[in-house]
Amino acid sequence: MGIKVVRFEKEQKEQWGVVSGDQIRLLSGTYQSLADFLEHGKEEARTINKQDNTECVALNEVTILSPVTKPARIVCQGVNYSEHRAETGMEAARAPFNMIFSKADSSLCGATSEIVRPRDVKLLDYELELGLVIGTEISEASDITDENLHQYIAGLVIVNDVSARDVQLSQGQWLKGKSYRTFCPTGPYLYLLDKEELPLIHDLELNLWVNDELRQSANSNQLLYKPAETLTELSEIMDLSHGDLIVTGTAGGVALNLTPQVLELLSNMAIPYQQKLDLLEEGQLISGKYLKDGDVIRCQIRSSNGLIDLGEQINKVVPSIKKSHVNSF
């Protein structure tokens, strides 16, 4: 059975540990990044999970940090569930290509961190996604299959791909619209997989609530481009390293809901930006589903048989605070 690894802060000190019930078994090593932990601390984590005489701290006495750390590549799959494709104005069927984009690693934050809404963003959206943590160096084209996937994926995490739709769609700026600081809550746990558990990647239940209203509910078996296929494709394009994060796409139920006609207009480069923005805001704000200051998002990912549990994210949306500039003479 896999283990739940946490990176946390207690008394202004960052540490790593393994969750056991309501306790954290402390690792003796000091790891500066997730890559460092995967290369030098993973075996200690597996060993300490079987011991009873280790130093522990209570889970509720620490601040849980994102298990994914900078520097890291965050590579994302877009519109990878049929229901989400339909609600964005696309054909629900699997596309002829895998849509790939990225998020800046400065968007990473913890499972209980506040999500800061930028001042000019009105269309703040949520996207619950399964995250795959890379466990080995990939520097050449590789044939990755379900049978050898365990050699490439170290573990799983919950990811919320928070998105500023008014920036992403009216400006055509995916990286910018998805990379504001705090737009990537990750964790609370890094679930280190056993080889035997890899098939469960295809049977994970994903659920997201906003203010206790269930908005997203899906199973990872609905992914259109599966993990092995996606990693094979990425290996032909780019290098990947220990601790990099692959974000596999979100299910239906997000706030965004477009018709094919509106999507076509938003994709038309000849239409001025302000006209696109006005069109988008007019059509989207009436739903009342976009995130507002004070909203609380709760995310869970678990296997249907209960063997894998990635924990729970609870994040509150807060407004950005404009910093005052004081002149000194």
Side-chain angles (χ1 to χ4, degrees), residues 71-75 103 105 137 238-241 243-246:
R73 301 177 183 92
I74 304 177
V75 183
K103 290 173 79 84
D105 61 5
E137 297 294 312
M238 61 190 296
D239 291 346
L240 293 168
S241 303
D244 286 346
L245 179 63
I246 309 300

Side-chain angles (χ1 to χ4, degrees), residues 177-233:
K178 290 173 171 284
S179 290
Y180 289 90
R181 293 179 184 88
T182 72
F183 271 28
C184 194
T186 306
Y189 311 136
L190 164 63
Y191 187 90
L192 291 180
L193 287 158
D194 285 341
K195 178 181 178 181
E196 295 75 18
E197 294 177 306
L198 259 296
L200 292 176
I201 287 181
H202 304 295
D203 189 20
L204 296 173
E205 297 176 341
L206 295 81
N207 290 288
L208 177 145
W209 296 261
V210 177
N211 301 328
D212 293 325
E213 176 192 354
L214 182 63
R215 296 279 186 90
Q216 291 187 283
S217 186
N219 190 290
S220 60
N221 61 22
Q222 299 166 359
L223 285 168
L224 298 174
Y225 282 88
K226 310 294 186 184
E229 181 181 12
T230 297
L231 284 178
T232 296
E233 180 181 358

Side-chain angles (χ1 to χ4, degrees), residues 157-170:
V157 292
I158 299 174
V159 179
N160 187 353
D161 176 21
V162 179
S163 304
R165 300 297 192 192
D166 25 15
V167 176
Q168 175 194 0
L169 297 175
S170 63

